[in-house]
Amino acid sequence: MSKNDFAFFINSLESGGAERVVVNLANEIGDGIRLVTIWPNKFYTLNEDVNYSSLLSKKSKFIFFDLFFAFFKLVLLVKSEKIKSLNSHLFWANYINVFASFFSRHRSICTHCVSFKSKFKNRSFIKSVHYFLSKYLLVRSCSHTFKSLDMCEEYLSLFNFKNSSVIYNPIDLASVYSKSLLDVDMHDIDLLDSNYINGVCVGRFHPTKNQSSVLNLLKKLPDNYRIFFVGKVNDKVFFDKLVLSLGLTNRVFFLGEVTNPYPIINLCDFSISLSLSEGFPNFLVESIALSTVPFFYNCETGPKEILSSSKILNIEYESGKLFELGFLINNLSYNDIANDITQVLGLGYEVDDVARLKFLKNLDLEIISNKYLNVL
């Protein structure tokens, strides 16, 4: 099968982990590979040899109207371009991909990027819609790929998908290392000031990413601890008020969307995530790559699978466990987490270099790209 016979498909190219992975895969494969999105939002840069197209010119207020028109346009695109296999990422793109395959007869491959249970914790109409579509529509997909083993097991238990495989997210180490050395505008904030211990939290602001808990945790840390948030803040007024009420005005910095977060991660002493929902967290992998000590909450999938791939260090902690690759938080007690962060960093803990390189070797961008090509 030639590269012109298949394509990647995702909701959009706005800032986010799944979007960045798809862009990296397309750029690595190159040579005319096709990348299709539902909406034209574009944060990441594609190489010139990637054949990019968007089904819709803008996003309307009514998502189901958008999905309806995108479905018809996708069927026409697949037929006109003679696409034989389409690999979609994220819920909406997956639904459209499988439904369109009934009419265009292409081979649909769905990639699942987040834990269903943690994404839809509470009973709601939205959860019911996604459950119905997953159970009765996505089950018709030719094959499924998952970002982690835990996620694969979860979906199989919920929906009994067939032809499933696990493909971890890739990392382009050469690019990460080179970009981490570039200058970054920190608005006159000195990350190298030895009077402060700096933490970084990367990700779009969304309830499941739980940035509000990171702020409450910072309140329990010593006054010389600061945290830099990288990612689009959807409700800036709410978070500004929360920062003010917690008395953290001089210890919290919202940097917004940043095209190159690697210098910030590289210069910070630790990374922190209390996210309630993940797939295979890129931020954790990048923290490990740059030897920035990670403290990550043990949500449904991802962090445990990554950190426990290394040896556990036999030291007792109140909130979690310390591994060679970082700290896995098992409870959301702010006092316990704060005590453990100060203890781990106070002991001079560093990410184990041998374990780090061994883990990252399996995530090489070329290796992961070939795995996707084999599935297609």
Side-chain angles (χ1 to χ4, degrees):
M1 183 183 294
S2 71
K3 294 179 183 179
N4 294 327
D5 293 332
F6 62 79
F8 290 113
F9 181 42
I10 193 168
N11 299 351
S12 72
L13 297 184
E14 63 184 352
S15 61
E19 293 83 354
R20 179 146 48 94
V21 167
V22 170
V23 167
N24 287 340
L25 290 170
N27 285 338
E28 171 66 18
I29 296 171
D31 193 23
I33 185 70
R34 180 176 287 278
L35 172 57
V36 183
T37 62
I38 301 173
W39 297 287
N41 314 57
K42 199 173 179 182
F43 180 77
Y44 297 108
T45 302
L46 289 165
N47 294 341
E48 292 182 357
D49 56 352
V50 176
N51 189 351
Y52 169 72
S53 59
S54 174
L55 298 176
L56 303 178
S57 59
K58 62 180 181 180
K59 193 170 188 177
S60 73
K61 295 180 180 179
F62 304 101
I63 188 170
F64 290 107
F65 286 172
D66 283 1
L67 299 177
F68 179 77
F69 289 115
F71 155 72
F72 281 106
K73 291 190 175 183
L74 182 64
V75 172
L76 293 175
L77 177 67
V78 170
K79 288 185 175 181
S80 63
E81 298 296 326
K82 298 180 180 179
I83 296 172
K84 295 181 180 179
S85 294
L86 188 64
N87 176 212
S88 53
H89 297 243
L90 299 176
F91 289 103
W92 296 127
N94 284 341
Y95 300 146
I96 295 175
N97 181 15
V98 178
F99 193 47
S101 70
F102 300 161
F103 300 87
S104 58
R105 302 299 180 185
H106 70 270
R107 185 169 180 266
S108 60
I109 300 101
C110 293
T111 294
H112 304 273
C113 303
V114 67
S115 161
F116 190 94
K117 290 180 180 178
S118 56
K119 180 73 172 179
F120 306 108
K121 275 186 175 296
N122 301 320
R123 290 181 177 273
S124 65
F125 173 73
I126 295 297
K127 179 180 179 180
S128 298
V129 169
H130 283 284
Y131 184 87
F132 178 85
L133 291 172
S134 296
K135 187 173 182 64
Y136 297 104
L137 177 62
L138 295 191
V139 72
R140 305 287 296 275
S141 178
C142 295
S143 64
H144 300 265
T145 71
F146 300 89
K147 300 294 186 176
S148 67
L149 290 168
D150 284 344
M151 191 195 305
C152 180
E153 292 174 1
E154 174 195 312
Y155 274 77
L156 295 187
S157 67
L158 287 172
F159 307 116
N160 197 31
F161 291 156
K162 305 297 182 183
N163 299 322
S164 301
S165 60
V166 174
I167 304 179
Y168 289 157
N169 284 346
I171 183 169
D172 185 349
L173 280 178
S175 177
V176 170
Y177 291 152
S178 62
K179 288 181 178 179
S180 71
L181 301 176
L182 298 177
D183 292 330
V184 60
D185 184 7
M186 291 300 297
H187 310 288
D188 298 323
I189 304 167
D190 185 7
L191 277 173
L192 297 177
D193 189 336
S194 60
N195 292 314
Y196 296 98
I197 297 174
N198 298 307
V200 58
C201 180
V202 176
R204 283 180 292 189
F205 277 64
H206 184 277
T208 60
K209 293 298 183 182
N210 205 22
Q211 283 94 344
S212 58
S213 287
V214 176
L215 290 171
N216 283 288
L217 166 63
L218 180 59
K219 178 67 176 178
K220 303 296 183 179
L221 287 165
D223 291 342
N224 64 328
Y225 276 72
R226 307 184 295 187
I227 291 183
F228 296 84
F229 290 88
V230 176
K232 183 179 180 181
V233 186
N234 293 322
D235 193 350
K236 187 67 161 53
V237 174
F238 167 81
F239 283 98
D240 283 341
K241 287 182 178 179
L242 180 57
V243 169
L244 187 63
S245 68
L246 292 172
L248 299 173
T249 305
N250 298 320
R251 299 171 59 194
V252 171
F253 304 90
F254 297 113
L255 304 181
E257 291 180 309
V258 176
T259 55
N260 178 22
Y262 304 126
I264 303 168
I265 299 174
N266 188 41
L267 291 173
C268 281
D269 301 287
F270 69 100
S271 60
I272 178 72
S273 172
L274 300 181
S275 176
L276 304 174
S277 176
E278 291 291 345
F280 191 79
N282 298 318
F283 175 37
L284 173 53
V285 175
E286 290 156 357
S287 297
I288 292 170
L290 294 171
S291 297
T292 300
V293 181
F295 293 84
F296 272 64
Y297 177 59
N298 183 16
C299 56
E300 290 287 349
T301 70
K304 181 179 180 180
E305 194 164 323
I306 292 171
L307 295 176
S308 65
S309 66
S310 63
K311 294 180 181 178
I312 188 172
L313 303 182
N314 293 319
I315 305 174
E316 293 293 326
Y317 292 97
E318 296 173 334
S319 69
K321 298 178 179 180
L322 183 62
F323 296 87
E324 290 179 320
L325 293 177
F327 192 96
L328 185 68
I329 299 169
N330 285 322
N331 74 69
L332 290 178
S333 166
Y334 304 135
N335 284 323
D336 289 348
I337 299 170
N339 289 335
D340 290 342
I341 288 176
T342 54
Q343 183 180 351
V344 170
L345 296 180
L347 291 173
Y349 166 87
E350 295 181 353
V351 176
D352 185 85
D353 199 46
V354 174
R356 180 179 68 88
L357 294 176
K358 180 181 178 181
F359 168 72
L360 294 172
K361 183 179 180 181
N362 297 319
L363 305 183
D364 179 76
L365 180 57
E366 183 178 357
I367 292 174
I368 300 299
S369 296
N370 286 331
K371 288 186 177 181
Y372 274 99
L373 289 175
N374 290 334
V375 170
L376 290 168

